[in-house]
Amino acid sequence: MTHSTTVKAGRAGVRGVLLAAVSVLVLATVPAQAVERETLPDNWLYLTLTTGDAHSGRTRGALLMCDMPQGHARAAEACAALAAVDGAIDRIAQRDAICPMVYAPVTARASGRWNGRPVEFHRLFGNACELTARTGAVFALDD
């Protein structure tokens, strides 16, 4: 009888550990958009990049916060570029670049707030070079 009680308690313990692990994984995958807006600074954007087409692409994202630049490796540069255009990504000056004529689509999305106003940006670029020439460091999530 003692043995079966120990086995049941062991299974319950394993279930508890597995449940805790699953909970941690679920919470770790909650998108940054789920963060309460009151806890975010005034100037922030949730950025995503999807490589490939919409059906088979890989998506990665980052929460860029600019009141104290953080969120990706080039956050300070990205925040400075956004500050120069008051958060309007489509107004960032395009850089001169010689990009290959290779179609490797990249979809850039940004959603957030800048100086109290909502910001939404969505654009498909022919390749990563075109994206960088057009948006600078804002979507430099891999650096």
Side-chain angles (χ1 to χ4, degrees):
M1 193 58 102
T2 304
H3 178 67
S4 73
T5 304
T6 305
V7 171
K8 288 181 182 177
R11 285 184 182 160
V14 169
R15 284 186 191 133
V17 169
L18 288 175
L19 183 59
V22 169
S23 298
V24 168
L25 288 174
V26 168
L27 290 174
T29 60
V30 172
Q33 294 167 323
V35 175
E36 289 186 37
R37 293 181 188 248
E38 292 81 34
T39 64
L40 293 171
D42 290 335
N43 298 323
W44 63 272
L45 296 175
Y46 182 67
L47 309 167
T48 62
L49 282 177
T50 303
T51 54
D53 64 23
H55 303 291
S56 64
R58 181 182 130 227
T59 299
R60 60 197 182 282
L63 179 62
L64 175 66
M65 295 181 285
C66 289
D67 291 330
M68 186 172 116
Q70 55 187 329
H72 62 67
R74 296 175 60 192
E77 186 181 348
C79 291
L82 289 164
V85 295
D86 198 28
I89 297 170
D90 55 353
R91 291 192 345 212
I92 294 174
Q94 184 166 340
R95 297 178 182 178
D96 289 332
I98 299 173
C99 294
M101 298 291 291
V102 174
Y103 186 67
V106 179
T107 303
R109 286 187 172 88
S111 179
R113 299 196 66 77
W114 195 269
N115 291 333
R117 292 185 320 277
V119 172
E120 294 293 329
F121 177 84
H122 176 254
R123 184 162 299 151
L124 173 68
F125 295 91
N127 57 46
C129 179
E130 291 177 11
L131 166 74
T132 302
R134 188 66 189 91
T135 63
V138 174
F139 289 95
L141 305 183
D142 288 338
D143 290 345

